Amino acid sequence: PFETAIQEANRRILTFGRGDERLSGMGTTIVAIRFGGTPERPVAEVAHVGDSRAYLLRGGNLRPLTEDHSLVAELVRSGELTRDQAAEHPQKNLITRALGAEEEVDVDTAVLPVEAGDRILLCSDGLSDMVPEGRISEILGDSPGDPETTARRLLSAALHAGGTDNVT
């Protein structure tokens, strides 16, 4: 299963970190997707740990497929912060789950039907922190048949906004 591969990645990161003092404490986030189902009923399975995200653009509407594993996201879910407040919060990058942090990691997965014309974006917080979702939606919608151009435009938008983190 998908989760097994992510658990294996977690185990390998822990092993490398324990085997080299310079790598001690290293970790990462992950967002991944695989497609399956049948030609009549195709599906996508999304898995993630941390604050890298997956989005679905369908019919001009962008919606997140993942929820960040972060302190600030938990405050939003509990109603203590709004999404706008969270975007400006000084601790917005404090994650509560990552690969390489613990022996076992909880992986969130979701399976969703896919339709012709759907666009799915997987990105690190280097993009989602720098480019508002409305702008991401516009860029995704501008070149529906050209993912390379779309990826370059998303990268440019993040770098133009300050590019304070890796943009993936």
Side-chain angles (χ1 to χ4, degrees):
F2 212 13
E3 286 184 58
T4 303
I6 294 172
Q7 293 289 353
E8 176 63 14
N10 182 63
R11 187 190 65 73
R12 288 183 184 198
I13 292 167
L14 281 170
T15 299
F16 276 104
R18 290 176 178 151
D20 185 334
E21 187 177 294
R22 295 169 301 162
L23 303 177
S24 179
M26 73 175 176
T28 190
T29 65
I30 185 170
V31 61
I33 192 166
R34 70 178 178 183
F35 296 94
T38 65
E40 299 79 28
R41 294 195 176 163
V43 297
E45 182 179 8
V46 178
H48 89 291
V49 176
D51 60 357
S52 290
R53 295 180 181 176
Y55 290 97
L56 170 66
L57 180 68
R58 177 179 288 161
N61 295 316
L62 184 72
R63 72 176 175 103
L65 298 176
T66 56
E67 289 188 2
D68 292 354
H69 300 135
S70 69
L71 175 64
V72 169
E74 288 179 15
L75 294 173
V76 171
R77 285 190 286 275
S78 72
E80 293 179 52
L81 287 178
T82 67
R83 282 184 58 144
D84 288 340
Q85 290 170 326
E88 301 300 321
H89 198 280
Q91 294 177 315
K92 68 181 176 185
N93 295 108
L94 276 180
I95 57 176
T96 56
R97 283 192 228 171
L99 298 187
E102 303 285 338
E103 292 291 331
E104 295 291 321
V105 65
D106 287 331
V107 180
D108 285 357
T109 61
V111 176
L112 63 138
V114 290
E115 301 174 3
D118 283 353
R119 295 200 84 180
I120 297 174
L121 170 68
L122 307 181
C123 66
S124 67
D125 63 334
L127 176 69
S128 57
D129 281 355
M130 301 307 298
V131 183
E133 288 180 1
R135 182 71 184 125
I136 290 173
S137 180
E138 288 173 19
I139 294 170
L140 285 173
D142 282 347
S143 304
D146 187 358
E148 184 68 28
T149 296
T150 300
R152 286 189 178 139
R153 290 187 61 215
L154 289 167
L155 173 63
S156 292
L159 293 175
H160 182 72
T164 58
D165 198 353
N166 293 328
V167 183
T168 307

